[in-house]
Amino acid sequence: MPLTILPDTQHQEDDFSLDPRVVQALWTMEENHFWHQARNRWIVSHLRDRAVPSGSRILEVGCGSGWVAGHLQRCGYRVTGIDTALVLVQKAAHRFPDVQFVAGQLENLAVVDPGPFDVIAFFDVLEHLDSPLGLLKTAVGFARPGALVAATVPAIASLFSVVDTLSGHKRRYDSGELLALLQAAKLHSVQERGIFRWLLPLMRRRRSSEPPSGMLMGGEESAMRLAKELAVPPPLLNSVMALLCRLEQTVGKAAAARNVGASLVASGFVE
């Protein structure tokens, strides 16, 4: 499908740096890092647990370079992805030509695709916003009655560090906060699960050695630091971590509803 570029396309640099080094590191990470592969599996598993059938229409808000959208399309869903960062959406369209991608503001999506959609999705997007409730309410306007709204976010406020600041995060969500946000958007039957639980000890140890989140770096140093953070682990370590993620998703999946993890996944239904 051709990429649609709306005339209102704007991107706030503090949402996510578009420095070429950061963008290239992100693309390499998406294609090789254990975390991105595992998150895609968690997302599909969650949709299936919520009885979203193959063939359902999904609107992914903040689709970035399309890594999740492409995976969902391969899994049998029909996906439309929208983002304000043109360079990222162009990469998405190049990677996954069968997916409909739009560069522009969500408010103007109707000129391209008014919906309605069966699923509205925000995968690691809401943490970039000072007031995510407004975007949630706007997106629900594209949903059919009974549609599912699903989101993932980084978790545990105490883990917020300079890496979050450089990534454009405004916050990390403690257990129950994403659930409360979806409920504030008037969704019902909301469920929240903690995922990547085994990563927590590693993250706590690493974040404790980082500078405080308020210590901002210069532009050059910031780009280099963020590109380094996005680097893929060495092959053996990456493989071991991928295996641990698979074990959590099979053996430990039931515990996700009762425990906090390094990320949260939650969803609720539109009236």
Side-chain angles (χ1 to χ4, degrees), residues 105-182:
Q105 300 292 328
L106 177 63
E107 292 83 352
N108 298 321
L109 176 63
V111 303
V112 180
D113 190 342
F117 292 91
D118 304 300
V119 178
I120 308 294
F122 303 85
F123 299 128
D124 286 77
V125 171
L126 300 177
E127 67 274 13
H128 291 271
L129 306 175
D130 289 313
S131 302
L133 185 57
L135 184 65
L136 274 168
K137 290 181 176 179
T138 299
V140 167
F142 293 92
R144 66 164 176 80
L148 184 75
V149 178
T152 59
V153 294
I156 307 182
S158 62
L159 290 179
F160 195 94
S161 75
V162 68
V163 174
D164 290 285
T165 302
L166 293 175
S167 300
H169 295 174
K170 303 299 190 295
R171 63 179 297 182
R172 298 181 72 93
Y173 284 71
D174 282 326
S175 180
E177 290 184 332
L178 181 57
L179 183 147
L181 177 62
L182 297 187

Side-chain angles (χ1 to χ4, degrees), residues 184-202:
K186 307 302 182 183
L187 305 178
H188 69 86
S189 303
V190 179
Q191 294 181 1
E192 180 188 271
R193 293 175 179 271
I195 60 178
F196 293 108
R197 299 187 307 282
W198 67 272
L199 270 178
L200 285 177
L202 298 175

Side-chain angles (χ1 to χ4, degrees), residues 1-76:
M1 295 182 180
L3 166 64
T4 301
I5 302 174
L6 298 177
D8 66 322
T9 301
Q10 299 175 7
H11 180 74
Q12 300 297 323
E13 187 70 11
D14 60 353
D15 289 341
F16 183 81
S17 173
L18 296 182
D19 181 285
R21 291 163 296 185
V22 173
V23 170
Q24 186 58 57
L26 172 67
W27 293 340
T28 301
M29 180 188 188
E30 288 177 335
E31 294 172 0
N32 299 282
H33 200 289
F34 75 89
W35 186 88
H36 280 277
Q37 319 305 319
R39 184 182 60 159
N40 276 351
R41 291 193 300 271
W42 273 116
I43 289 168
V44 172
S45 175
H46 188 79
L47 294 179
R48 290 174 175 165
D49 287 346
R50 298 294 252 167
V52 178
S54 178
S56 297
R57 297 198 67 206
I58 298 177
L59 172 62
E60 186 188 358
V61 181
C63 65
S65 303
W67 193 248
V68 179
H71 183 72
L72 292 173
Q73 189 89 3
R74 288 194 299 268
C75 291

Side-chain angles (χ1 to χ4, degrees), residues 197-237:
R197 299 187 307 282
W198 67 272
L199 270 178
L200 285 177
L202 298 175
M203 289 188 66
R204 288 193 173 101
R205 180 177 179 181
R206 184 173 182 181
R207 295 288 169 101
S208 66
S209 64
E210 292 173 349
S213 59
M215 292 184 62
L216 298 178
M217 308 172 185
E220 180 74 13
E221 187 180 358
S222 293
M224 293 179 63
R225 177 68 178 83
L226 185 53
K228 181 179 179 181
E229 181 67 21
L230 296 174
V232 180
L236 179 57
L237 178 60

